[in-house]
Amino acid sequence: MIELFGDKIFGFSGKIVNIDLSLQKISEDPINNAFINLFFGGAGYACRYLFDHIEKDTDPLSKENILFIMNGLFTLTDAPLSSRFVICSKSPYTNLWGEANCGGTFGPELKKAGFDGIIIRGRAKHPIMISIKENKVKILDAKEIWGLGIKKTRTHIKSQSEFKKAKVLCIGQAGENLVNFATINAEGRSAGRTGMGAVMGSKNLKAITVQGSSFKPKVALLKSFKCSIKKLITYLVKANATKVLREFGTSATVLGAYATGDLPIKYWSKGRWSKINDISGEKLKNILLVRNKSCYGCLIGCGRIINIDNEKYHAQECEGPEYETIAGFGSMILNNNLESIAIANDMCNDYGLDTISTSGVIALTFDLFNKNMIQSADVDNLNLEWGNADSMLKLIEKIAKKDGIGEILARGSNAMGKKFKIPKDSIATINNMEVPYHDLRFCHGMALTYAYSPRGPCHTTADGFKVFRKENEVDFSSLGIKKIKMNSNSKTMVKNIIKLQNYRSIYSSLIFCFFSNPPPSYICELIHGLTGVEFDVNDLLIFGERIFNLKRLFNIKMGLSPQYESIPKILLEPLDEGPIKSMSPKFEKLKKYYYRYRKWDLNNGKPSQKLLYALKLNDLTF
């Protein structure tokens, strides 16, 4: 087994702050070298720790649940696109593995202060905030900012001289109100999906501020590391993805996804829409863009800062909508008003709502209304005819405040289905969570990505819709990943997905941005330069497979079984028009191949004992 660290630690600071809010106790834990040697940092490290401390009967919103904020190996080094951090816990939305990935500046600032992560347990008696300045950690009263949105929370905190230069991580009203899919925001960037904001709110924790300057990561082979960084930067500068993302952000994907059939329309039921150009990335750039925004150490700058100012909608200097948000509040409900989509995004960011789940449950509600399965009286007398942007915005507010119909919507699509007796096959969720906006009828491998993602359906767990396309520049052939037809139901498709899932597990643990896709050997060279340990592509896949199966074990411990890993018919029903007309993945066939190649038991979903021994996971029992 490869040992990244022995007596010396590179990259990491070596300390994690451990805070018990019930006891008002603050301590420092040394980083666990054994965990790093098996799982790197980030989500892999967090999952290994939480596996030992969370049980099947742990209520995600109880004081017994633990919230873990964790950096990666490369955070604060000069390696580009490595400033992201993760927030992990047991999810209140799925009751399974909860993981949110976030960019910006908070992660590097935390490491500057001398900490690799923050463990938060217990529950404060009243609203509080945590202040971290260099090595000093304090618990402070936060009654004054409880009830504020994320923007006002951040502004209020930074108006105080001692926090003027702090990086602020906080929740909005959705997290305070324990909305199942509430997010956590860090300096304008959102840690979405799986309801980590609700976990933070359940602990009466409004915000965490971080200020640091003293710590700098140690590098084992500085000259080698600098050469590897230069090589990666050269690749990224030349990459077409860098140029497109810099110019349009992820909204660049809208027209391409529509042309290929990847973009869902009218709650997954249509393949054509005449108004698609009205919500394109090109239009966003032309009418809304003020400037780009970059995460720490990023040379792409995919973030959008926009102004919205017309006779109906107004918002100044706010974050622009990403592809998923445009799809969810746009094509999914036939809303071609780009300004209203941008306002919806701004509202979700300020309340602290995940835009995929929020738009997903709203789109379901629109669908039910237009099929006469619910009436206006059922939704607080709103008119939910397709394309009604004003009603969409009112539903966002109701969800955040749990007002009227919002109380049900705040529990998600399946709760809405249960309330109105809607068949599960008509609801686009897997493991209780709304599916992202990449149609699995376009890339059939996405059926496996969504069904077996550890945190519920997640397109970044294995983005085959991008990586497998012959036209795409990403080349992961050294991993054994082949370019393949998107509608393939072959063994090659299954093997591709498995290898990509394993590799992307590395990304959430090192941690790297998913927009950085150099040849995998470049990542090996960075690891070698930073740690001094020789590392090859096969080692990457072993680490990735270990991390992916660790999360699988966590979920099985929480009660997951194969019966929950099904795909509703609404996502499999072939469309009668558009680029993917008559196409549908053969999920049961793919599933059998998947279990065979994963070496999982078809009956209970568990990895085989032989596999667990090979991956050094055999000591995990429950």
Side-chain angles (χ1 to χ4, degrees):
M1 185 185 80
I2 288 178
E3 283 202 12
L4 293 173
F5 304 114
D7 296 332
K8 293 184 179 180
I9 294 179
F10 300 102
F12 291 110
S13 71
K15 294 188 300 182
I16 294 173
V17 61
N18 197 326
I19 304 170
D20 189 319
L21 297 179
S22 294
L23 301 176
Q24 299 281 289
K25 181 182 177 182
I26 300 167
S27 59
E28 293 181 6
D29 294 344
I31 200 164
N32 189 315
N33 283 13
F35 288 2
I36 294 173
N37 285 330
L38 289 171
F39 310 107
F40 293 126
Y45 187 104
C47 188
R48 180 60 189 88
Y49 178 90
L50 294 174
F51 186 94
D52 289 343
H53 293 86
I54 296 177
E55 303 301 327
K56 180 180 179 180
D57 60 358
T58 300
D59 181 343
L61 298 179
S62 70
K63 64 181 181 180
E64 284 76 27
N65 199 13
I66 297 170
L67 192 68
F68 199 149
I69 300 169
M70 187 65 184
N71 271 319
L73 177 64
F74 290 106
T75 309
L76 199 60
T77 68
D78 291 329
L81 280 72
S82 62
S83 67
R84 303 183 72 83
F85 64 99
V86 293
I87 306 174
C88 303
S89 186
K90 184 177 182 181
S91 169
Y93 203 18
T94 65
N95 277 304
L96 300 172
W97 173 243
E99 177 183 331
N101 196 302
C102 190
T105 55
F106 184 87
E109 195 73 15
L110 177 63
K111 193 174 273 190
K112 284 181 186 178
F115 294 109
D116 296 310
I118 308 170
I119 296 171
I120 303 163
R121 49 177 26 100
R123 175 186 290 137
K125 293 180 180 179
H126 58 79
I128 58 97
M129 61 179 276
I130 295 169
S131 167
I132 300 175
K133 191 170 184 179
E134 300 302 347
N135 285 307
K136 296 180 181 179
V137 184
K138 298 178 182 178
I139 298 173
L140 306 173
D141 186 272
K143 294 192 193 78
E144 194 174 5
I145 55 175
W146 194 261
L148 296 182
I150 283 166
K151 291 181 186 179
K152 288 184 178 179
T153 297
R154 189 164 56 239
T155 300
H156 185 280
I157 290 173
K158 291 193 174 189
S159 69
Q160 302 172 55
S161 58
E162 62 180 309
F163 300 120
K164 187 176 181 180
K165 296 183 179 180
K167 306 302 180 185
V168 179
L169 178 145
C170 63
I171 58 172
Q173 295 95 330
E176 295 174 4
N177 293 330
L178 309 184
V179 174
N180 276 352
F181 41 88
T183 64
I184 298 172
N185 192 283
E187 295 292 320
R189 308 304 286 171
S190 292
R193 317 256 49 204
T194 70
M196 296 299 94
V199 177
M200 188 165 163
S202 74
K203 298 185 176 303
N204 280 325
L205 176 58
K206 179 65 174 177
I208 303 173
T209 66
V210 176
Q211 299 176 79
S213 63
S214 59
F215 177 78
K216 293 182 180 179
K218 293 179 181 178
V219 178
L221 306 172
L222 186 58
K223 185 177 180 180
S224 174
F225 191 54
K226 286 183 176 180
C227 287
S228 299
I229 289 170
K230 185 177 180 180
K231 185 176 179 181
L232 176 55
I233 289 173
T234 300
Y235 170 87
L236 292 171
V237 168
K238 292 180 179 179
N240 183 59
T242 298
K243 299 168 188 174
V244 173
L245 287 166
R246 184 179 292 155
E247 184 171 5
F248 300 109
T250 61
S251 64
T253 312
V254 172
L255 292 184
Y258 175 76
T260 58
D262 191 34
L263 177 79
I265 302 167
K266 197 181 180 184
Y267 201 65
W268 306 96
S269 68
K270 300 289 287 182
R272 295 290 186 196
W273 188 35
S274 62
K275 298 180 180 180
I276 185 63
N277 287 313
D278 293 344
I279 62 169
S280 68
E282 290 77 0
K283 184 170 183 180
L284 188 152
K285 176 189 174 184
N286 290 336
I287 70 171
L288 299 178
L289 183 65
V290 176
R291 63 179 183 277
N292 290 25
K293 180 178 179 179
S294 297
C295 295
Y296 181 95
C298 176
L299 52 83
I300 295 177
C302 71
R304 314 282 93 182
I305 298 299
I306 63 171
N307 281 343
I308 310 160
D309 190 10
N310 62 22
E311 65 279 0
K312 196 169 188 178
Y313 303 117
H314 305 275
Q316 296 296 307
E317 296 280 310
C318 62
E319 301 273 344
E322 306 283 350
Y323 163 81
E324 301 286 338
T325 307
I326 293 173
F329 292 120
S331 61
M332 280 281 281
I333 63 168
L334 303 185
N335 172 27
N336 67 316
N337 187 313
L338 185 59
E339 289 91 340
S340 73
I341 295 169
I343 289 290
N345 183 67
D346 188 50
M347 290 175 66
C348 286
N349 284 344
D350 198 44
Y351 285 130
L353 287 169
D354 178 72
T355 59
I356 296 176
S357 284
T358 302
S359 61
V361 69
I362 287 176
L364 169 66
T365 308
F366 268 74
D367 189 52
L368 299 179
F369 181 88
N370 285 277
K371 289 177 177 176
N372 291 316
M373 300 176 79
I374 60 174
Q375 307 304 315
S376 181
D378 296 318
V379 289
D380 301 338
N381 297 314
L382 293 175
N383 177 5
L384 301 186
E385 291 182 4
W386 292 115
N388 191 321
D390 290 345
S391 292
M392 169 192 76
L393 297 176
K394 288 177 182 176
L395 286 176
I396 293 172
E397 182 180 5
K398 285 180 174 291
I399 290 170
K401 296 179 179 179
K402 287 190 171 179
D403 173 47
I405 188 63
E407 196 281 327
I408 298 169
L409 297 177
R411 289 185 268 137
S413 295
N414 285 1
M416 190 69 178
K418 184 177 181 180
K419 169 71 176 178
F420 294 103
K421 298 180 173 57
I422 308 302
K424 287 188 176 181
D425 271 325
S426 299
I427 304 171
T429 59
I430 297 172
N431 278 323
N432 200 55
M433 194 163 77
E434 287 74 18
V435 171
Y437 301 126
H438 294 278
D439 201 315
L440 51 78
R441 291 167 293 195
F442 165 60
C443 177
H444 291 186
M446 294 305 291
L448 297 173
T449 295
Y450 291 161
Y452 301 109
S453 168
R455 69 171 187 169
C458 170
H459 59 293
T460 61
T461 301
D463 45 336
F465 62 88
K466 174 179 70 179
V467 173
F468 301 163
R469 293 180 63 197
K470 293 179 181 178
E471 303 86 353
N472 194 282
E473 66 185 335
V474 176
D475 182 3
F476 289 162
S477 57
S478 63
L479 301 173
I481 294 174
K482 302 175 181 179
K483 298 294 184 180
I484 191 172
K485 288 183 178 180
M486 292 292 97
N487 62 350
S488 171
N489 292 292
S490 66
K491 294 178 181 178
T492 299
M493 175 63 83
V494 178
K495 291 177 180 178
N496 268 5
I497 286 291
I498 289 172
K499 289 172 182 175
L500 189 54
Q501 285 174 330
N502 292 346
Y503 188 55
R504 289 307 192 198
S505 295
I506 294 291
Y507 268 59
S508 67
S509 295
L510 280 175
I511 304 167
F512 271 109
C513 175
F514 285 83
F515 298 148
S516 175
N517 289 293
S521 61
Y522 286 31
I523 307 298
C524 297
E525 291 171 14
L526 284 172
I527 295 172
H528 174 236
L530 183 62
T531 67
V533 177
E534 292 287 346
F535 215 84
D536 62 28
V537 170
N538 186 58
D539 296 322
L540 280 181
L541 286 176
I542 292 172
F543 266 74
E545 186 176 13
R546 182 184 296 127
I547 294 164
F548 192 87
N549 278 278
L550 168 67
K551 294 175 184 178
R552 179 70 176 181
L553 290 175
F554 181 95
N555 282 343
I556 291 172
K557 182 181 179 181
M558 296 304 115
L560 178 71
S561 69
Q563 70 188 65
Y564 301 121
E565 297 168 323
S566 60
I567 296 178
K569 288 182 180 178
I570 190 171
L571 297 175
L572 296 171
E573 193 72 33
L575 299 175
D576 60 7
E577 62 179 7
I580 55 173
K581 178 181 178 181
S582 303
M583 296 182 187
S584 180
K586 296 178 181 177
F587 179 63
E588 291 303 318
K589 174 185 175 182
L590 293 170
K591 178 180 179 178
K592 289 180 181 177
Y593 289 146
Y594 185 86
Y595 266 77
R596 182 189 307 169
Y597 297 140
R598 272 286 179 204
K599 298 183 176 68
W600 291 355
D601 189 301
L602 260 173
N603 296 314
N604 59 31
K606 293 181 179 180
S608 70
Q609 282 300 119
K610 185 176 180 180
L611 177 64
L612 294 179
Y613 271 95
L615 296 176
K616 310 296 182 185
L617 297 174
N618 52 294
D619 61 327
L620 301 182
T621 58
F622 52 92

Short mmCIF file of all heavy atoms in Angstrom, two decimals, residues 367-394:
data_model
loop_
_atom_site.label_atom_id
_atom_site.label_comp_id
_atom_site.label_asym_id
_atom_site.label_seq_id
_atom_site.Cartn_x
_atom_site.Cartn_y
_atom_site.Cartn_z
N ASP A 367 -46.16 20.67 -13.60
CA ASP A 367 -46.61 19.54 -14.39
C ASP A 367 -47.94 18.99 -13.88
O ASP A 367 -48.87 18.74 -14.67
CB ASP A 367 -45.54 18.44 -14.36
CG ASP A 367 -45.82 17.32 -15.34
OD1 ASP A 367 -46.05 17.60 -16.52
OD2 ASP A 367 -45.79 16.15 -14.91
N LEU A 368 -48.05 18.82 -12.57
CA LEU A 368 -49.29 18.31 -11.98
C LEU A 368 -50.45 19.28 -12.21
O LEU A 368 -51.58 18.86 -12.51
CB LEU A 368 -49.10 18.08 -10.48
CG LEU A 368 -48.03 17.06 -10.08
CD1 LEU A 368 -47.95 16.96 -8.55
CD2 LEU A 368 -48.33 15.69 -10.68
N PHE A 369 -50.18 20.56 -12.10
CA PHE A 369 -51.21 21.58 -12.32
C PHE A 369 -51.73 21.53 -13.75
O PHE A 369 -52.95 21.57 -14.00
CB PHE A 369 -50.64 22.96 -12.00
CG PHE A 369 -51.60 24.10 -12.17
CD1 PHE A 369 -52.42 24.50 -11.12
CD2 PHE A 369 -51.71 24.78 -13.38
CE1 PHE A 369 -53.32 25.55 -11.27
CE2 PHE A 369 -52.60 25.83 -13.55
CZ PHE A 369 -53.40 26.21 -12.48
N ASN A 370 -50.81 21.44 -14.71
CA ASN A 370 -51.22 21.46 -16.11
C ASN A 370 -51.82 20.14 -16.59
O ASN A 370 -52.43 20.08 -17.66
CB ASN A 370 -50.02 21.85 -16.99
CG ASN A 370 -49.72 23.34 -16.91
OD1 ASN A 370 -50.34 24.14 -17.59
ND2 ASN A 370 -48.77 23.70 -16.04
N LYS A 371 -51.68 19.11 -15.79
CA LYS A 371 -52.35 17.83 -16.07
C LYS A 371 -53.65 17.69 -15.29
O LYS A 371 -54.27 16.62 -15.28
CB LYS A 371 -51.42 16.66 -15.73
CG LYS A 371 -50.24 16.51 -16.69
CD LYS A 371 -49.31 15.39 -16.24
CE LYS A 371 -48.18 15.19 -17.23
NZ LYS A 371 -47.19 14.16 -16.74
N ASN A 372 -54.04 18.77 -14.59
CA ASN A 372 -55.26 18.79 -13.76
C ASN A 372 -55.22 17.76 -12.64
O ASN A 372 -56.26 17.29 -12.18
CB ASN A 372 -56.51 18.58 -14.62
CG ASN A 372 -56.78 19.77 -15.53
OD1 ASN A 372 -56.69 20.92 -15.10
ND2 ASN A 372 -57.10 19.49 -16.79
N MET A 373 -54.03 17.43 -12.18
CA MET A 373 -53.89 16.51 -11.05
C MET A 373 -53.90 17.26 -9.72
O MET A 373 -54.07 16.66 -8.67
CB MET A 373 -52.61 15.68 -11.21
CG MET A 373 -52.61 14.84 -12.49
SD MET A 373 -51.07 13.94 -12.79
CE MET A 373 -51.28 12.55 -11.68
N ILE A 374 -53.63 18.57 -9.79
CA ILE A 374 -53.85 19.46 -8.65
C ILE A 374 -54.52 20.74 -9.18
O ILE A 374 -54.45 21.03 -10.38
CB ILE A 374 -52.54 19.84 -7.92
CG1 ILE A 374 -51.55 20.54 -8.86
CG2 ILE A 374 -51.91 18.61 -7.28
CD1 ILE A 374 -50.30 21.06 -8.16
N GLN A 375 -55.15 21.48 -8.29
CA GLN A 375 -55.86 22.69 -8.69
C GLN A 375 -55.21 23.91 -8.07
O GLN A 375 -54.36 23.81 -7.17
CB GLN A 375 -57.33 22.58 -8.26
CG GLN A 375 -58.04 21.32 -8.72
CD GLN A 375 -57.98 21.11 -10.22
OE1 GLN A 375 -58.21 22.06 -10.99
NE2 GLN A 375 -57.69 19.89 -10.65
N SER A 376 -55.63 25.07 -8.51
CA SER A 376 -55.09 26.32 -7.99
C SER A 376 -55.25 26.41 -6.48
O SER A 376 -54.36 26.89 -5.78
CB SER A 376 -55.78 27.51 -8.67
OG SER A 376 -55.25 28.73 -8.19
N ALA A 377 -56.37 25.93 -5.98
CA ALA A 377 -56.63 25.97 -4.53
C ALA A 377 -55.61 25.14 -3.75
O ALA A 377 -55.35 25.42 -2.57
CB ALA A 377 -58.04 25.48 -4.23
N ASP A 378 -55.02 24.14 -4.41
CA ASP A 378 -54.03 23.29 -3.75
C ASP A 378 -52.68 23.99 -3.59
O ASP A 378 -51.85 23.57 -2.79
CB ASP A 378 -53.82 22.00 -4.54
CG ASP A 378 -55.07 21.13 -4.60
OD1 ASP A 378 -55.75 21.01 -3.56
OD2 ASP A 378 -55.37 20.61 -5.69
N VAL A 379 -52.47 25.03 -4.39
CA VAL A 379 -51.16 25.72 -4.38
C VAL A 379 -51.35 27.20 -4.05
O VAL A 379 -50.76 28.09 -4.67
CB VAL A 379 -50.43 25.54 -5.73
CG1 VAL A 379 -49.94 24.11 -5.88
CG2 VAL A 379 -51.32 25.92 -6.91
N ASP A 380 -52.15 27.45 -3.04
CA ASP A 380 -52.35 28.82 -2.51
C ASP A 380 -52.87 29.78 -3.58
O ASP A 380 -52.49 30.95 -3.65
CB ASP A 380 -51.05 29.36 -1.91
CG ASP A 380 -50.52 28.48 -0.79
OD1 ASP A 380 -51.32 27.73 -0.20
OD2 ASP A 380 -49.32 28.53 -0.51
N ASN A 381 -53.74 29.23 -4.46
CA ASN A 381 -54.42 30.02 -5.50
C ASN A 381 -53.47 30.62 -6.53
O ASN A 381 -53.79 31.65 -7.16
CB ASN A 381 -55.26 31.13 -4.86
CG ASN A 381 -56.37 30.57 -3.97
OD1 ASN A 381 -57.08 29.64 -4.37
ND2 ASN A 381 -56.48 31.10 -2.77
N LEU A 382 -52.33 30.00 -6.73
CA LEU A 382 -51.41 30.45 -7.77
C LEU A 382 -51.80 29.87 -9.12
O LEU A 382 -52.37 28.78 -9.21
CB LEU A 382 -49.98 30.03 -7.43
CG LEU A 382 -49.33 30.69 -6.22
CD1 LEU A 382 -47.96 30.07 -5.95
CD2 LEU A 382 -49.19 32.19 -6.42
N ASN A 383 -51.48 30.60 -10.18
CA ASN A 383 -51.67 30.12 -11.54
C ASN A 383 -50.36 29.52 -12.03
O ASN A 383 -49.37 30.24 -12.21
CB ASN A 383 -52.09 31.28 -12.44
CG ASN A 383 -52.23 30.85 -13.90
OD1 ASN A 383 -52.10 29.68 -14.23
ND2 ASN A 383 -52.47 31.81 -14.78
N LEU A 384 -50.34 28.23 -12.22
CA LEU A 384 -49.10 27.53 -12.60
C LEU A 384 -49.14 27.06 -14.06
O LEU A 384 -48.61 26.00 -14.39
CB LEU A 384 -48.84 26.35 -11.67
CG LEU A 384 -48.70 26.66 -10.18
CD1 LEU A 384 -48.31 25.42 -9.41
CD2 LEU A 384 -47.70 27.78 -9.93
N GLU A 385 -49.76 27.84 -14.92
CA GLU A 385 -49.69 27.52 -16.34
C GLU A 385 -48.24 27.58 -16.78
O GLU A 385 -47.45 28.38 -16.28
CB GLU A 385 -50.54 28.49 -17.16
CG GLU A 385 -52.04 28.33 -16.93
CD GLU A 385 -52.86 29.28 -17.78
OE1 GLU A 385 -52.25 30.01 -18.59
OE2 GLU A 385 -54.09 29.29 -17.63
N TRP A 386 -47.87 26.73 -17.73
CA TRP A 386 -46.49 26.65 -18.19
C TRP A 386 -45.95 28.05 -18.52
O TRP A 386 -46.62 28.85 -19.17
CB TRP A 386 -46.37 25.77 -19.43
CG TRP A 386 -46.62 24.32 -19.18
CD1 TRP A 386 -47.65 23.56 -19.67
CD2 TRP A 386 -45.83 23.44 -18.38
NE1 TRP A 386 -47.54 22.26 -19.24
CE2 TRP A 386 -46.43 22.15 -18.44
CE3 TRP A 386 -44.67 23.59 -17.62
CZ2 TRP A 386 -45.91 21.05 -17.77
CZ3 TRP A 386 -44.15 22.48 -16.95
CH2 TRP A 386 -44.77 21.24 -17.03
N GLY A 387 -44.76 28.32 -18.03
CA GLY A 387 -44.08 29.57 -18.33
C GLY A 387 -44.38 30.72 -17.40
O GLY A 387 -43.83 31.81 -17.57
N ASN A 388 -45.21 30.51 -16.38
CA ASN A 388 -45.59 31.60 -15.48
C ASN A 388 -44.45 31.88 -14.49
O ASN A 388 -44.33 31.24 -13.45
CB ASN A 388 -46.88 31.26 -14.74
CG ASN A 388 -47.45 32.46 -14.01
OD1 ASN A 388 -46.72 33.27 -13.44
ND2 ASN A 388 -48.77 32.58 -14.01
N ALA A 389 -43.62 32.87 -14.83
CA ALA A 389 -42.43 33.16 -14.03
C ALA A 389 -42.78 33.75 -12.67
O ALA A 389 -42.10 33.47 -11.67
CB ALA A 389 -41.51 34.11 -14.79
N ASP A 390 -43.82 34.56 -12.61
CA ASP A 390 -44.18 35.19 -11.34
C ASP A 390 -44.57 34.14 -10.30
O ASP A 390 -44.18 34.23 -9.12
CB ASP A 390 -45.33 36.18 -11.55
CG ASP A 390 -44.90 37.41 -12.32
OD1 ASP A 390 -43.69 37.63 -12.43
OD2 ASP A 390 -45.77 38.14 -12.81
N SER A 391 -45.33 33.14 -10.71
CA SER A 391 -45.73 32.08 -9.78
C SER A 391 -44.53 31.24 -9.36
O SER A 391 -44.43 30.79 -8.21
CB SER A 391 -46.80 31.19 -10.41
OG SER A 391 -48.01 31.90 -10.57
N MET A 392 -43.60 31.03 -10.30
CA MET A 392 -42.36 30.32 -9.97
C MET A 392 -41.62 31.03 -8.84
O MET A 392 -41.18 30.39 -7.86
CB MET A 392 -41.48 30.24 -11.20
CG MET A 392 -40.06 29.76 -10.96
SD MET A 392 -38.99 30.02 -12.40
CE MET A 392 -38.70 31.80 -12.29
N LEU A 393 -41.49 32.34 -8.94
CA LEU A 393 -40.77 33.11 -7.93
C LEU A 393 -41.49 33.10 -6.59
O LEU A 393 -40.85 33.05 -5.53
CB LEU A 393 -40.57 34.55 -8.42
CG LEU A 393 -39.72 34.71 -9.69
CD1 LEU A 393 -39.68 36.17 -10.13
CD2 LEU A 393 -38.30 34.18 -9.49
N LYS A 394 -42.81 33.13 -6.63
CA LYS A 394 -43.58 33.07 -5.37
C LYS A 394 -43.40 31.72 -4.69
O LYS A 394 -43.33 31.64 -3.45
CB LYS A 394 -45.05 33.34 -5.65
CG LYS A 394 -45.35 34.79 -6.01
CD LYS A 394 -46.82 35.00 -6.36
CE LYS A 394 -47.08 36.46 -6.75
NZ LYS A 394 -48.47 36.68 -7.20
#
